[in-house]
Amino acid sequence: MTAQIIDGRKIAHVLKAEVTAEADDLRAQGTSCGLATVVVGDNYSSRAYERRLGRIATELRVRHEQVDLTADITQDEVLETIRRLNEDPAVSGILVLRPLPSHISEIEVFRALAPGKDIESVHPENVGLLALGTPRFVPSTAASVFHLLDAWLDSVGEDRASFYHRSLIVVVGRSNNVGKPAISLAYDREAAVMSVDEWASKEGRLGWHTRQADVLVVAAGVAGLIRAEHVRAGAVVIDVGINPLADPATGTVHMVGDVDFDGARARARAIAPVPGGVGPVTDVWLIRNTVAAARAANRH
Ligand code: NAP
C-alpha cells in the first residue's frame, strides 16, 4: 500500500480564501481584525514563527502588531503589556509565544489574557470550555490535525461521523498545547481515544499502542520516532512534529517530522507529511481565530 498524501498546503489555501472573505466582510461592517503576537526574549523559533504569522496576517488582510519584549523584563511589565492589548479595540486576538523566560510565570500571563482575545485557548476558562466540548476557540495545532482529517475524509467520500465512531485515535504526546487539545477534539468526534507519552517509549510499549491506531497523531518532538513497524496497515497518520535536522555533509538544516515518512507511507492509507501537512493549516487557523474573535466582540 502507498498512502495518499494529505496536502496541507492545498487545504490551507482554501482556508485562507475563507478567512480573507470573512475579514473583508467584517471590515465592510466597520470591524477591524488585529492579531498581536507577544515574544519575550530572543528565542529563535518564536521570532521566526512570529515573522511567519505576520506575513500570513498581511496576506489575509488582518492587521498584525508585533510586541517584542526583552528577556530581562519584569513579570509586572509583561502583565501590563497584556492589559494594554486587552483594552486595545484594534487587537482582536493575542498570542503569547512560548517559551517565556524562567522568571515569568506562564500561567499568570495566560490568566491575564482577556478570554475573548485568547485565540490559542490558554486562559484557564478557555481550557475548561475546550475540555467540556464547547470551545470558544479551538487551539490552532489540534484544530489543524482534525481539519486535515475532515478534509481528507470529504475528499475520499467517507462520512465523517461514521469514520470517527468506528476509529481508535492514538495521540502520541500529551502537551498542554498540542496533545491534550487533540485528545479533547477526538473525544468531541466520539472516537475511541488513546493517549501515549514518553513512558510508553521508555517501557518499550510504544508500538503496542500505536499499532492499534486507525488514526495515529504524532506530536512528540522526536525525529523519526514512528517507523513502519509502529503503523497498522491502512491507518491514517498525521505527523505534527517539527524537528530541525542538520545534513552531516553540508551542514544545511531542514525540518523533519516525528514520523519516518517513507516507512509509514508504505503501510498507511493516508499520511500528512512534514513539511506540508499540519503546519500550513495551523498558521491560517490562528488568523481564523483572530477574525472569529473580532466577529464575536462585534456582537457584544
Ligand atoms: P512538548 O511540550 O515537548 O511535548 C511532547 C510530548 O511528547 C510530551 O507529552 C512527551 O511526553 C511526549 N514524548 C516525548 N518523547 C516521547 C517519546 N519518545 N515517546 C512518546 N512520547 C514522547 O512538545 P509540543 O509542544 O507538544 O510539540 C510536539 C511537536 O510538535 C514538536 O516537534 C513541535 O515542534 C511540533 N509542533 C508543531 C506544530 C505545527 O503546527 N505543525 C505546532 C506546535 C508544535 P511526557 O509528557 O512524558 O514528557
Side-chain angles (χ1 to χ4, degrees), residues 174-204:
R174 53 172 160 224
S175 67
N176 287 339
N177 54 317
V178 184
K180 284 180 192 166
I183 291 160
S184 289
L185 297 187
Y187 285 143
D188 292 349
R189 281 163 172 77
E190 298 170 312
V193 183
M194 188 189 279
S195 164
V196 179
D197 73 352
E198 200 172 353
W199 280 108
S201 291
K202 285 180 177 158
E203 297 292 338

PDB file of all heavy atoms in Angstrom, residues 174-204:
ATOM      1  N   ARG A 174       1.402  14.380  24.939  1.00  0.00           N
ATOM      2  CA  ARG A 174       0.228  14.986  25.585  1.00  0.00           C
ATOM      3  C   ARG A 174       0.581  16.304  26.254  1.00  0.00           C
ATOM      4  O   ARG A 174       0.325  16.530  27.434  1.00  0.00           O
ATOM      5  CB  ARG A 174      -0.418  14.017  26.562  1.00  0.00           C
ATOM      6  CG  ARG A 174       0.463  13.416  27.598  1.00  0.00           C
ATOM      7  CD  ARG A 174      -0.419  12.641  28.575  1.00  0.00           C
ATOM      8  NE  ARG A 174       0.353  11.668  29.302  1.00  0.00           N
ATOM      9  CZ  ARG A 174      -0.056  10.414  29.518  1.00  0.00           C
ATOM     10  NH1 ARG A 174      -1.189   9.989  29.066  1.00  0.00           N
ATOM     11  NH2 ARG A 174       0.684   9.603  30.212  1.00  0.00           N
ATOM     12  N   SER A 175       1.192  17.184  25.457  1.00  0.00           N
ATOM     13  CA  SER A 175       1.475  18.524  25.978  1.00  0.00           C
ATOM     14  C   SER A 175       0.180  19.312  26.086  1.00  0.00           C
ATOM     15  O   SER A 175      -0.823  18.968  25.441  1.00  0.00           O
ATOM     16  CB  SER A 175       2.440  19.259  25.035  1.00  0.00           C
ATOM     17  OG  SER A 175       1.791  19.510  23.814  1.00  0.00           O
ATOM     18  N   ASN A 176       0.229  20.382  26.908  1.00  0.00           N
ATOM     19  CA  ASN A 176      -0.971  21.213  27.060  1.00  0.00           C
ATOM     20  C   ASN A 176      -1.347  21.906  25.755  1.00  0.00           C
ATOM     21  O   ASN A 176      -2.513  22.202  25.523  1.00  0.00           O
ATOM     22  CB  ASN A 176      -0.742  22.279  28.139  1.00  0.00           C
ATOM     23  CG  ASN A 176      -0.744  21.669  29.523  1.00  0.00           C
ATOM     24  OD1 ASN A 176      -1.274  20.580  29.726  1.00  0.00           O
ATOM     25  ND2 ASN A 176      -0.136  22.362  30.474  1.00  0.00           N
ATOM     26  N   ASN A 177      -0.340  22.200  24.924  1.00  0.00           N
ATOM     27  CA  ASN A 177      -0.656  22.992  23.728  1.00  0.00           C
ATOM     28  C   ASN A 177      -1.009  22.152  22.504  1.00  0.00           C
ATOM     29  O   ASN A 177      -1.675  22.647  21.599  1.00  0.00           O
ATOM     30  CB  ASN A 177       0.472  23.987  23.382  1.00  0.00           C
ATOM     31  CG  ASN A 177       1.811  23.326  23.248  1.00  0.00           C
ATOM     32  OD1 ASN A 177       2.161  22.469  24.055  1.00  0.00           O
ATOM     33  ND2 ASN A 177       2.572  23.689  22.238  1.00  0.00           N
ATOM     34  N   VAL A 178      -0.573  20.886  22.439  1.00  0.00           N
ATOM     35  CA  VAL A 178      -0.884  20.086  21.247  1.00  0.00           C
ATOM     36  C   VAL A 178      -1.634  18.792  21.617  1.00  0.00           C
ATOM     37  O   VAL A 178      -2.779  18.596  21.210  1.00  0.00           O
ATOM     38  CB  VAL A 178       0.394  19.729  20.440  1.00  0.00           C
ATOM     39  CG1 VAL A 178       0.003  18.987  19.166  1.00  0.00           C
ATOM     40  CG2 VAL A 178       1.205  20.961  20.098  1.00  0.00           C
ATOM     41  N   GLY A 179      -0.964  17.918  22.367  1.00  0.00           N
ATOM     42  CA  GLY A 179      -1.535  16.585  22.603  1.00  0.00           C
ATOM     43  C   GLY A 179      -2.877  16.624  23.312  1.00  0.00           C
ATOM     44  O   GLY A 179      -3.846  15.998  22.854  1.00  0.00           O
ATOM     45  N   LYS A 180      -2.960  17.359  24.424  1.00  0.00           N
ATOM     46  CA  LYS A 180      -4.224  17.353  25.192  1.00  0.00           C
ATOM     47  C   LYS A 180      -5.390  17.961  24.402  1.00  0.00           C
ATOM     48  O   LYS A 180      -6.487  17.383  24.386  1.00  0.00           O
ATOM     49  CB  LYS A 180      -4.042  18.050  26.538  1.00  0.00           C
ATOM     50  CG  LYS A 180      -3.297  17.190  27.556  1.00  0.00           C
ATOM     51  CD  LYS A 180      -3.157  17.924  28.868  1.00  0.00           C
ATOM     52  CE  LYS A 180      -2.167  17.218  29.781  1.00  0.00           C
ATOM     53  NZ  LYS A 180      -1.771  18.075  30.913  1.00  0.00           N
ATOM     54  N   PRO A 181      -5.191  19.122  23.744  1.00  0.00           N
ATOM     55  CA  PRO A 181      -6.306  19.619  22.920  1.00  0.00           C
ATOM     56  C   PRO A 181      -6.703  18.635  21.818  1.00  0.00           C
ATOM     57  O   PRO A 181      -7.895  18.486  21.524  1.00  0.00           O
ATOM     58  CB  PRO A 181      -5.751  20.925  22.319  1.00  0.00           C
ATOM     59  CG  PRO A 181      -4.683  21.359  23.260  1.00  0.00           C
ATOM     60  CD  PRO A 181      -4.083  20.109  23.844  1.00  0.00           C
ATOM     61  N   ALA A 182      -5.729  17.928  21.240  1.00  0.00           N
ATOM     62  CA  ALA A 182      -6.069  16.954  20.185  1.00  0.00           C
ATOM     63  C   ALA A 182      -6.922  15.832  20.777  1.00  0.00           C
ATOM     64  O   ALA A 182      -7.870  15.350  20.129  1.00  0.00           O
ATOM     65  CB  ALA A 182      -4.797  16.389  19.547  1.00  0.00           C
ATOM     66  N   ILE A 183      -6.598  15.431  21.999  1.00  0.00           N
ATOM     67  CA  ILE A 183      -7.387  14.385  22.663  1.00  0.00           C
ATOM     68  C   ILE A 183      -8.826  14.882  22.891  1.00  0.00           C
ATOM     69  O   ILE A 183      -9.800  14.166  22.652  1.00  0.00           O
ATOM     70  CB  ILE A 183      -6.700  13.965  23.981  1.00  0.00           C
ATOM     71  CG1 ILE A 183      -5.401  13.215  23.666  1.00  0.00           C
ATOM     72  CG2 ILE A 183      -7.623  13.093  24.839  1.00  0.00           C
ATOM     73  CD1 ILE A 183      -4.406  13.164  24.808  1.00  0.00           C
ATOM     74  N   SER A 184      -8.957  16.148  23.335  1.00  0.00           N
ATOM     75  CA  SER A 184     -10.308  16.712  23.528  1.00  0.00           C
ATOM     76  C   SER A 184     -11.108  16.697  22.227  1.00  0.00           C
ATOM     77  O   SER A 184     -12.298  16.351  22.218  1.00  0.00           O
ATOM     78  CB  SER A 184     -10.219  18.168  24.015  1.00  0.00           C
ATOM     79  OG  SER A 184      -9.771  18.218  25.333  1.00  0.00           O
ATOM     80  N   LEU A 185     -10.453  17.059  21.135  1.00  0.00           N
ATOM     81  CA  LEU A 185     -11.169  17.091  19.853  1.00  0.00           C
ATOM     82  C   LEU A 185     -11.543  15.683  19.386  1.00  0.00           C
ATOM     83  O   LEU A 185     -12.586  15.479  18.761  1.00  0.00           O
ATOM     84  CB  LEU A 185     -10.324  17.794  18.781  1.00  0.00           C
ATOM     85  CG  LEU A 185      -9.995  19.268  19.047  1.00  0.00           C
ATOM     86  CD1 LEU A 185      -9.298  19.885  17.834  1.00  0.00           C
ATOM     87  CD2 LEU A 185     -11.229  20.076  19.398  1.00  0.00           C
ATOM     88  N   ALA A 186     -10.676  14.717  19.718  1.00  0.00           N
ATOM     89  CA  ALA A 186     -11.003  13.324  19.368  1.00  0.00           C
ATOM     90  C   ALA A 186     -12.219  12.842  20.169  1.00  0.00           C
ATOM     91  O   ALA A 186     -13.102  12.175  19.637  1.00  0.00           O
ATOM     92  CB  ALA A 186      -9.795  12.426  19.627  1.00  0.00           C
ATOM     93  N   TYR A 187     -12.280  13.234  21.453  1.00  0.00           N
ATOM     94  CA  TYR A 187     -13.475  12.911  22.262  1.00  0.00           C
ATOM     95  C   TYR A 187     -14.720  13.526  21.622  1.00  0.00           C
ATOM     96  O   TYR A 187     -15.764  12.889  21.535  1.00  0.00           O
ATOM     97  CB  TYR A 187     -13.360  13.492  23.673  1.00  0.00           C
ATOM     98  CG  TYR A 187     -12.414  12.785  24.612  1.00  0.00           C
ATOM     99  CD1 TYR A 187     -11.659  13.518  25.525  1.00  0.00           C
ATOM    100  CD2 TYR A 187     -12.300  11.401  24.629  1.00  0.00           C
ATOM    101  CE1 TYR A 187     -10.792  12.901  26.408  1.00  0.00           C
ATOM    102  CE2 TYR A 187     -11.437  10.770  25.508  1.00  0.00           C
ATOM    103  CZ  TYR A 187     -10.690  11.521  26.401  1.00  0.00           C
ATOM    104  OH  TYR A 187      -9.846  10.906  27.264  1.00  0.00           O
ATOM    105  N   ASP A 188     -14.578  14.812  21.223  1.00  0.00           N
ATOM    106  CA  ASP A 188     -15.726  15.518  20.651  1.00  0.00           C
ATOM    107  C   ASP A 188     -16.280  14.793  19.426  1.00  0.00           C
ATOM    108  O   ASP A 188     -17.469  14.877  19.129  1.00  0.00           O
ATOM    109  CB  ASP A 188     -15.347  16.947  20.236  1.00  0.00           C
ATOM    110  CG  ASP A 188     -15.039  17.825  21.442  1.00  0.00           C
ATOM    111  OD1 ASP A 188     -15.323  17.392  22.577  1.00  0.00           O
ATOM    112  OD2 ASP A 188     -14.480  18.922  21.246  1.00  0.00           O
ATOM    113  N   ARG A 189     -15.386  14.110  18.693  1.00  0.00           N
ATOM    114  CA  ARG A 189     -15.844  13.393  17.495  1.00  0.00           C
ATOM    115  C   ARG A 189     -16.351  11.986  17.836  1.00  0.00           C
ATOM    116  O   ARG A 189     -16.632  11.191  16.962  1.00  0.00           O
ATOM    117  CB  ARG A 189     -14.725  13.354  16.457  1.00  0.00           C
ATOM    118  CG  ARG A 189     -14.633  14.683  15.717  1.00  0.00           C
ATOM    119  CD  ARG A 189     -13.334  14.852  14.995  1.00  0.00           C
ATOM    120  NE  ARG A 189     -13.350  16.045  14.152  1.00  0.00           N
ATOM    121  CZ  ARG A 189     -13.211  17.298  14.596  1.00  0.00           C
ATOM    122  NH1 ARG A 189     -13.063  17.526  15.878  1.00  0.00           N
ATOM    123  NH2 ARG A 189     -13.225  18.320  13.765  1.00  0.00           N
ATOM    124  N   GLU A 190     -16.376  11.709  19.118  1.00  0.00           N
ATOM    125  CA  GLU A 190     -16.905  10.433  19.620  1.00  0.00           C
ATOM    126  C   GLU A 190     -16.140   9.232  19.064  1.00  0.00           C
ATOM    127  O   GLU A 190     -16.725   8.195  18.730  1.00  0.00           O
ATOM    128  CB  GLU A 190     -18.411  10.334  19.351  1.00  0.00           C
ATOM    129  CG  GLU A 190     -19.162  11.444  20.085  1.00  0.00           C
ATOM    130  CD  GLU A 190     -20.613  11.547  19.683  1.00  0.00           C
ATOM    131  OE1 GLU A 190     -20.915  11.554  18.484  1.00  0.00           O
ATOM    132  OE2 GLU A 190     -21.453  11.643  20.586  1.00  0.00           O
ATOM    133  N   ALA A 191     -14.821   9.424  18.946  1.00  0.00           N
ATOM    134  CA  ALA A 191     -13.939   8.307  18.591  1.00  0.00           C
ATOM    135  C   ALA A 191     -13.490   7.629  19.877  1.00  0.00           C
ATOM    136  O   ALA A 191     -13.599   8.198  20.971  1.00  0.00           O
ATOM    137  CB  ALA A 191     -12.726   8.849  17.833  1.00  0.00           C
ATOM    138  N   ALA A 192     -12.966   6.402  19.758  1.00  0.00           N
ATOM    139  CA  ALA A 192     -12.228   5.803  20.880  1.00  0.00           C
ATOM    140  C   ALA A 192     -10.855   6.497  20.894  1.00  0.00           C
ATOM    141  O   ALA A 192     -10.311   6.812  19.835  1.00  0.00           O
ATOM    142  CB  ALA A 192     -12.078   4.314  20.670  1.00  0.00           C
ATOM    143  N   VAL A 193     -10.339   6.779  22.097  1.00  0.00           N
ATOM    144  CA  VAL A 193      -9.145   7.621  22.194  1.00  0.00           C
ATOM    145  C   VAL A 193      -8.100   6.965  23.090  1.00  0.00           C
ATOM    146  O   VAL A 193      -8.440   6.417  24.145  1.00  0.00           O
ATOM    147  CB  VAL A 193      -9.504   9.012  22.778  1.00  0.00           C
ATOM    148  CG1 VAL A 193      -8.274   9.919  22.808  1.00  0.00           C
ATOM    149  CG2 VAL A 193     -10.616   9.666  21.978  1.00  0.00           C
ATOM    150  N   MET A 194      -6.843   7.024  22.653  1.00  0.00           N
ATOM    151  CA  MET A 194      -5.752   6.532  23.495  1.00  0.00           C
ATOM    152  C   MET A 194      -4.641   7.587  23.492  1.00  0.00           C
ATOM    153  O   MET A 194      -4.325   8.161  22.453  1.00  0.00           O
ATOM    154  CB  MET A 194      -5.216   5.216  22.914  1.00  0.00           C
ATOM    155  CG  MET A 194      -4.212   4.525  23.807  1.00  0.00           C
ATOM    156  SD  MET A 194      -3.456   3.137  22.932  1.00  0.00           S
ATOM    157  CE  MET A 194      -4.698   1.889  23.115  1.00  0.00           C
ATOM    158  N   SER A 195      -4.113   7.849  24.684  1.00  0.00           N
ATOM    159  CA  SER A 195      -3.063   8.858  24.826  1.00  0.00           C
ATOM    160  C   SER A 195      -1.771   8.193  25.267  1.00  0.00           C
ATOM    161  O   SER A 195      -1.766   7.397  26.205  1.00  0.00           O
ATOM    162  CB  SER A 195      -3.529   9.881  25.868  1.00  0.00           C
ATOM    163  OG  SER A 195      -2.450  10.650  26.316  1.00  0.00           O
ATOM    164  N   VAL A 196      -0.671   8.517  24.592  1.00  0.00           N
ATOM    165  CA  VAL A 196       0.609   7.860  24.842  1.00  0.00           C
ATOM    166  C   VAL A 196       1.665   8.932  25.113  1.00  0.00           C
ATOM    167  O   VAL A 196       1.710   9.943  24.412  1.00  0.00           O
ATOM    168  CB  VAL A 196       1.038   7.045  23.593  1.00  0.00           C
ATOM    169  CG1 VAL A 196       2.377   6.377  23.828  1.00  0.00           C
ATOM    170  CG2 VAL A 196      -0.024   6.015  23.225  1.00  0.00           C
ATOM    171  N   ASP A 197       2.494   8.723  26.121  1.00  0.00           N
ATOM    172  CA  ASP A 197       3.559   9.694  26.371  1.00  0.00           C
ATOM    173  C   ASP A 197       4.916   8.990  26.390  1.00  0.00           C
ATOM    174  O   ASP A 197       5.041   7.841  25.950  1.00  0.00           O
ATOM    175  CB  ASP A 197       3.298  10.494  27.647  1.00  0.00           C
ATOM    176  CG  ASP A 197       3.517   9.673  28.902  1.00  0.00           C
ATOM    177  OD1 ASP A 197       3.722   8.445  28.790  1.00  0.00           O
ATOM    178  OD2 ASP A 197       3.481  10.256  29.991  1.00  0.00           O
ATOM    179  N   GLU A 198       5.920   9.695  26.912  1.00  0.00           N
ATOM    180  CA  GLU A 198       7.290   9.194  26.824  1.00  0.00           C
ATOM    181  C   GLU A 198       7.474   7.870  27.575  1.00  0.00           C
ATOM    182  O   GLU A 198       8.330   7.062  27.218  1.00  0.00           O
ATOM    183  CB  GLU A 198       8.245  10.258  27.381  1.00  0.00           C
ATOM    184  CG  GLU A 198       9.656  10.058  26.912  1.00  0.00           C
ATOM    185  CD  GLU A 198      10.573  11.203  27.294  1.00  0.00           C
ATOM    186  OE1 GLU A 198      10.071  12.227  27.825  1.00  0.00           O
ATOM    187  OE2 GLU A 198      11.774  11.063  27.076  1.00  0.00           O
ATOM    188  N   TRP A 199       6.634   7.650  28.603  1.00  0.00           N
ATOM    189  CA  TRP A 199       6.766   6.410  29.366  1.00  0.00           C
ATOM    190  C   TRP A 199       6.526   5.189  28.497  1.00  0.00           C
ATOM    191  O   TRP A 199       7.158   4.139  28.683  1.00  0.00           O
ATOM    192  CB  TRP A 199       5.835   6.414  30.575  1.00  0.00           C
ATOM    193  CG  TRP A 199       6.430   7.207  31.696  1.00  0.00           C
ATOM    194  CD1 TRP A 199       6.019   8.420  32.137  1.00  0.00           C
ATOM    195  CD2 TRP A 199       7.581   6.857  32.468  1.00  0.00           C
ATOM    196  NE1 TRP A 199       6.852   8.851  33.141  1.00  0.00           N
ATOM    197  CE2 TRP A 199       7.815   7.910  33.366  1.00  0.00           C
ATOM    198  CE3 TRP A 199       8.440   5.765  32.471  1.00  0.00           C
ATOM    199  CZ2 TRP A 199       8.861   7.908  34.280  1.00  0.00           C
ATOM    200  CZ3 TRP A 199       9.496   5.755  33.382  1.00  0.00           C
ATOM    201  CH2 TRP A 199       9.696   6.815  34.266  1.00  0.00           C
ATOM    202  N   ALA A 200       5.608   5.326  27.544  1.00  0.00           N
ATOM    203  CA  ALA A 200       5.337   4.188  26.658  1.00  0.00           C
ATOM    204  C   ALA A 200       6.605   3.798  25.910  1.00  0.00           C
ATOM    205  O   ALA A 200       6.898   2.608  25.735  1.00  0.00           O
ATOM    206  CB  ALA A 200       4.221   4.556  25.691  1.00  0.00           C
ATOM    207  N   SER A 201       7.367   4.801  25.468  1.00  0.00           N
ATOM    208  CA  SER A 201       8.626   4.515  24.765  1.00  0.00           C
ATOM    209  C   SER A 201       9.638   3.903  25.714  1.00  0.00           C
ATOM    210  O   SER A 201      10.277   2.897  25.396  1.00  0.00           O
ATOM    211  CB  SER A 201       9.212   5.806  24.181  1.00  0.00           C
ATOM    212  OG  SER A 201       8.418   6.258  23.133  1.00  0.00           O
ATOM    213  N   LYS A 202       9.764   4.509  26.901  1.00  0.00           N
ATOM    214  CA  LYS A 202      10.763   4.023  27.867  1.00  0.00           C
ATOM    215  C   LYS A 202      10.479   2.574  28.274  1.00  0.00           C
ATOM    216  O   LYS A 202      11.386   1.804  28.539  1.00  0.00           O
ATOM    217  CB  LYS A 202      10.767   4.913  29.111  1.00  0.00           C
ATOM    218  CG  LYS A 202      11.444   6.262  28.881  1.00  0.00           C
ATOM    219  CD  LYS A 202      11.422   7.086  30.157  1.00  0.00           C
ATOM    220  CE  LYS A 202      12.140   8.399  29.977  1.00  0.00           C
ATOM    221  NZ  LYS A 202      11.719   9.403  30.954  1.00  0.00           N
ATOM    222  N   GLU A 203       9.187   2.231  28.329  1.00  0.00           N
ATOM    223  CA  GLU A 203       8.806   0.878  28.744  1.00  0.00           C
ATOM    224  C   GLU A 203       8.734  -0.093  27.566  1.00  0.00           C
ATOM    225  O   GLU A 203       8.291  -1.229  27.720  1.00  0.00           O
ATOM    226  CB  GLU A 203       7.435   0.914  29.461  1.00  0.00           C
ATOM    227  CG  GLU A 203       7.415   1.725  30.746  1.00  0.00           C
ATOM    228  CD  GLU A 203       8.240   1.075  31.861  1.00  0.00           C
ATOM    229  OE1 GLU A 203       8.476  -0.138  31.795  1.00  0.00           O
ATOM    230  OE2 GLU A 203       8.649   1.794  32.793  1.00  0.00           O
ATOM    231  N   GLY A 204       9.117   0.393  26.382  1.00  0.00           N
ATOM    232  CA  GLY A 204       9.120  -0.482  25.207  1.00  0.00           C
ATOM    233  C   GLY A 204       7.728  -0.829  24.707  1.00  0.00           C
ATOM    234  O   GLY A 204       7.531  -1.849  24.043  1.00  0.00           O
TER     235      GLY A 204
END
